[in-house]
């Protein structure tokens, strides 16, 4: 078995307070550059401090309104660049990395939102996933942000800045856990392995119930979509079911239940509709939606969000075998609806459909939220750094986009046009797996058929769920996209 890191990996420890003193402190500074642009490189100044730059005036790279939520302040990227550069310094230093403290001085004026973004960048930008028995490069372990005693700005005080650091740490940890799960190699990451990791991630939290449903249970209950997709693999499919209930820790539910459904395809060959060889290695990250749901669930339960939250992750390998499902098959899903299979590489919606129907029936939530690296069409429409939001309620889509923008994840609401409904209906079954028309839209409309009337919010992260290169706090391959948005959205 491959020597993967322990999951979750340790993340950078970040503190805030008065200036620290010591012999192994590495002094750094964040400085504000005039305008909306700032130098991209971390530089060593004349005083011996490493300097990362942020723009004095934020930009609007993607905007749905004139709201402040869509402003990009550059602090996440600055934190990531700083921690990576100092990591190289620490790796070449004779003193062991664990003895170093990186001390970060801030500009004269900064807000809690700036500090939260900086902390996300420091934690997520320092994350890596390397499978090796060799010595790994040393990394920054401790960062201390200097907050002058009694500092106030624009009505904010010390408590606001401490809260911002704690929020940033929770959000950063969620992204890192999602990345750990997504980047694990496919020979390790079976559906059962993913289920065990999900259980380990939450087993120490009060108020959480875990149910790991095996293939026998899925067959008894009629989860035909999950079983069809997983039928070609020697490693059977599973359904991961996590429930956080504040009433279990003697707290009130102040909001209605939310069901989060994350795609958990642990490796995707495309099945009989096989994918090209080029790029297939990245299909180990085809469960990034499920990974982000697990990570967000843990963060929400840790912070004891005052609503019941259910996480459902249908996990399966889409492999090629004599038992694989085929184009032309008709599959009966949980709840009785049938799908005409037209492309076995559209496996994500098959497993999501079962879980959506199950979650809607059992928990009767206010909304079902699906998160998946689902369609290449979403990537073509919005590129590699923006997620697609599909919702019958335009306001809900914009609200989610706002929440995501606040924590550095960009989204764009997309339509589900009524004239396409007839394309979703099959002539030989209830629904057609890959309807004609705009692929990302018709995939969302396919899933909507399984919600039993519960409002659907569908998040297609096929573009931003994977990265080909490093930018801001993002590193290749699995990005953890979506985890921070879910936490920010359901906490506020």
């Amino acid at each position: 078995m491959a020597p993967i890191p322990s999951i979750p990996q340790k993340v950078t420890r970040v503190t805030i307070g008065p200036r620290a003193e010591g012999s192994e402190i590495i002094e750094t500074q964040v400085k504000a550059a005039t305008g909306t642009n700032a130098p991209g490189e971390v530089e060593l100044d004349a005083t011996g401090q490493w300097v990362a730059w942020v723009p004095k005036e934020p930009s609007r790279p993607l905007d749905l309104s004139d709201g402040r939520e869509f402003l990009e302040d550059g602090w996440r990227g600055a934190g990531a660049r700083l921690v990576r550069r100092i990591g190289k310094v620490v790796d070449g230093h004779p003193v062991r990395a664990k003895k170093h403290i990186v001390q970060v001085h801030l500009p004269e004026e900064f807000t809690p939102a700036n500090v939260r973004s900086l902390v996300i960048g420091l934690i997520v930008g320092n994350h890596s996933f390397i499978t090796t028995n060799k010595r790994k490069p040393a990394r920054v372990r401790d960062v201390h942000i200097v907050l002058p005693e009694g500092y106030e700005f624009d009505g904010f005080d010390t408590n606001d800045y401490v809260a911002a650091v704690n929020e940033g740490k929770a959000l950063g940890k969620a992204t890192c856990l999602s990345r750990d799960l997504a980047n694990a190699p496919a020979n390790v990451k079976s559906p059962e392995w993913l289920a065990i990791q999900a259980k380990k991630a939450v087993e120490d939290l009060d108020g959480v119930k875990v149910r790991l449903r095996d293939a026998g249970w899925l067959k008894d209950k009629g989860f035909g979509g999950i079983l069809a997709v997983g039928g070609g693999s020697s490693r059977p499919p599973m359904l991961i079911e996590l429930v956080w209930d504040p009433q279990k820790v003697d707290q009130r539910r102040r909001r209605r239940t939310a069901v989060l459904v994350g795609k958990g395809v642990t490796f995707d060959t495309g099945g009989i509709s096989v994918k090209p060889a080029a790029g297939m290695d990245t299909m180990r990250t085809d469960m990034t939606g499920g990974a982000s749901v697990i990570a967000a669930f843990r963060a929400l339960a840790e912070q004891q969000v005052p609503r019941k939250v259910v996480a459902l992750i249908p996990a399966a390998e889409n492999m090629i075998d004599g038992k694989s499902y085929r184009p032309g098959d008709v599959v009966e899903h949980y709840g009785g609806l049938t799908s005409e299979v037209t492309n076995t590489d559209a496996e994500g919606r098959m497993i999501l459909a079962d879980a959506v129907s199950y979650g809607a029936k059992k928990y009767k939530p206010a909304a079902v939220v699906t998160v998946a690296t689902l369609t290449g069409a979403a990537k073509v429409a919005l590129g590699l750094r923006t997620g697609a939001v599909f919702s019958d309620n335009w306001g809900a889509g914009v609200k989610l986009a706002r929440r995501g923008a606040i924590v550095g994840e960009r989204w764009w609401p997309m339509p589900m046009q009524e004239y396409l409904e007839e394309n979703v209906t099959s002539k030989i079954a209830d629904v057609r797996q890959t309807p004609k028309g705009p692929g990302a839209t018709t995939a969302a409309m396919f899933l909507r058929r399984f919600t039993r009337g519960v409002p659907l919010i569908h998040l297609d992260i096929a573009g931003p769920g994977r990265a080909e290169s490093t930018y801001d706090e993002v590193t290749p391959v699995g990005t953890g996209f979506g985890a921070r948005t879910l936490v920010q959205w359901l906490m506020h």
Side-chain angles (χ1 to χ4, degrees):
M1 190 65 73
I4 67 170
S6 177
I7 296 175
Q9 296 185 77
K10 293 181 179 179
V11 301
T12 310
R13 292 184 290 266
V14 183
T15 57
I16 190 169
R19 178 190 175 99
E21 301 293 339
S23 60
E24 301 302 336
I25 289 177
I26 300 176
E27 300 287 356
T28 68
Q29 190 169 6
V30 175
K31 289 185 176 181
T34 303
T36 58
N37 294 314
E41 298 298 322
V42 175
E43 304 167 339
L44 191 63
D45 71 5
T47 67
Q49 287 192 352
W50 292 95
V51 178
W53 293 89
V54 295
K56 195 163 188 177
E57 299 175 17
S59 60
R60 289 184 179 272
L62 188 71
D63 200 357
L64 291 168
S65 70
D66 292 327
R68 293 188 58 82
E69 301 96 330
F70 294 100
L71 294 174
E72 170 55 59
D73 60 15
W75 285 62
R76 267 181 307 101
R81 291 190 297 273
L82 184 64
V83 78
R84 289 178 190 135
R85 183 65 186 88
I86 302 305
K88 295 178 181 178
V89 174
V90 169
D91 189 43
H93 201 280
V95 177
R96 294 181 66 187
K98 67 180 182 180
K99 294 188 176 182
H100 288 287
I101 296 176
V102 177
Q103 184 154 251
V104 183
H105 300 266
L106 303 182
E108 290 184 4
E109 297 180 350
F110 55 91
T111 66
N114 297 146
V115 171
R116 179 180 57 197
S117 293
L118 178 68
V119 172
I120 292 171
L122 290 167
I123 291 174
V124 180
N126 201 28
H127 178 271
S128 65
F129 193 96
I130 302 173
T131 301
T132 181
N133 285 314
K134 295 181 179 179
R135 174 190 172 273
K136 297 176 184 176
R139 294 189 298 157
V140 172
R141 297 194 181 189
D142 291 277
V143 176
H144 180 70
I145 300 171
V146 177
L147 182 68
E149 193 168 347
Y151 180 84
E152 293 184 7
F153 173 68
D154 204 21
F156 299 112
D157 60 20
T158 299
N159 292 333
D160 297 311
Y161 291 101
V162 171
V165 168
N166 290 334
E167 288 179 20
K169 289 194 291 187
L171 293 163
K173 283 172 60 180
T175 298
C176 290
L177 173 57
S178 178
R179 285 188 183 183
D180 284 340
L181 296 172
N183 287 309
N187 57 318
V188 173
K189 186 168 47 187
S190 66
E192 182 183 18
W193 179 91
L194 183 60
I196 291 170
Q197 295 301 317
K199 183 177 180 179
K200 283 174 56 179
V202 301
E203 62 186 358
D204 60 338
L205 300 178
D206 293 332
V208 171
K209 190 166 187 176
V210 179
R211 299 181 181 93
L212 305 181
R213 312 295 198 179
D214 63 14
W217 185 91
L218 294 172
K219 184 175 181 180
D220 289 343
K221 301 298 182 181
F223 284 72
I226 300 175
L227 292 168
V229 171
S233 174
S234 62
R235 305 195 286 188
M238 295 191 73
L239 175 66
I240 303 164
E241 185 174 356
L242 312 175
V243 182
W244 152 254
D245 189 348
Q247 290 185 347
K248 300 296 183 182
V249 292
D250 299 322
Q251 295 188 19
R252 290 179 58 192
R253 296 181 192 165
R254 301 184 184 276
R255 302 168 198 161
R256 291 185 60 193
T257 300
V259 169
L260 311 178
V261 183
K263 176 183 172 183
V265 176
T266 53
F267 191 74
D268 182 20
T269 66
I272 288 175
S273 307
V274 66
K275 293 177 180 290
M280 193 188 287
D281 60 304
T282 65
M283 288 300 104
R284 69 186 185 276
T285 66
D286 209 20
M287 38 61 69
T288 292
S292 291
V293 164
I294 292 169
F297 178 90
R298 186 183 74 163
L300 292 165
E302 282 179 334
Q303 297 177 71
Q304 299 192 339
V305 62
R307 76 192 314 158
K308 189 174 185 177
V309 179
V310 179
L312 299 173
I313 301 90
E317 278 193 322
N318 188 21
M319 303 292 284
I320 304 172
D321 182 80
K323 297 179 182 178
S324 298
Y325 80 129
R326 301 159 289 263
D329 285 359
V330 174
V331 172
E332 182 179 3
H333 292 273
Y334 179 87
L337 284 179
T338 57
S339 288
E340 174 194 358
V341 177
T342 49
N343 182 346
T344 64
D345 194 23
E347 82 297 331
R349 67 197 70 182
M350 297 293 288
I351 67 174
L352 291 173
D354 279 352
V356 166
S357 180
Y358 173 72
K361 180 181 179 181
K362 182 173 181 179
Y363 294 102
K364 298 176 174 55
V368 173
V369 183
T370 52
V371 190
T373 48
L374 204 65
T375 67
K379 189 189 305 185
V380 171
L382 297 174
L384 300 179
R385 302 188 184 185
T386 304
V389 183
F390 293 90
S391 173
D392 289 321
N393 184 327
W394 173 262
V398 173
K399 182 178 180 180
L400 183 136
R402 280 201 179 97
R403 295 286 188 261
I406 289 171
V407 294
E409 294 183 336
R410 298 172 188 167
W411 301 89
W412 196 262
M414 302 284 277
M416 290 189 283
Q417 298 101 320
E418 289 301 316
Y419 76 90
L420 294 170
E421 280 293 349
E422 63 183 32
N423 294 1
V424 182
T425 301
S426 168
K427 294 180 180 179
I428 65 169
D430 293 315
V431 289
R432 183 179 171 90
Q433 180 202 29
T434 53
K436 294 180 180 179
T441 295
T442 55
M445 295 173 72
F446 171 91
L447 291 175
R448 187 170 60 180
R449 294 288 185 96
F450 294 86
T451 63
R452 301 172 184 263
V454 174
L456 172 71
I457 298 175
H458 170 58
L459 309 179
D460 194 330
I461 60 171
R466 304 182 188 96
E468 298 173 352
S469 60
T470 298
Y471 62 92
D472 293 338
E473 81 282 12
V474 176
T475 54
V477 174
T479 64
F481 192 89
R484 297 201 301 268
T485 296
L486 292 174
V487 175
Q488 185 70 11
W489 180 45
L490 293 174
M491 282 298 299
H492 298 279

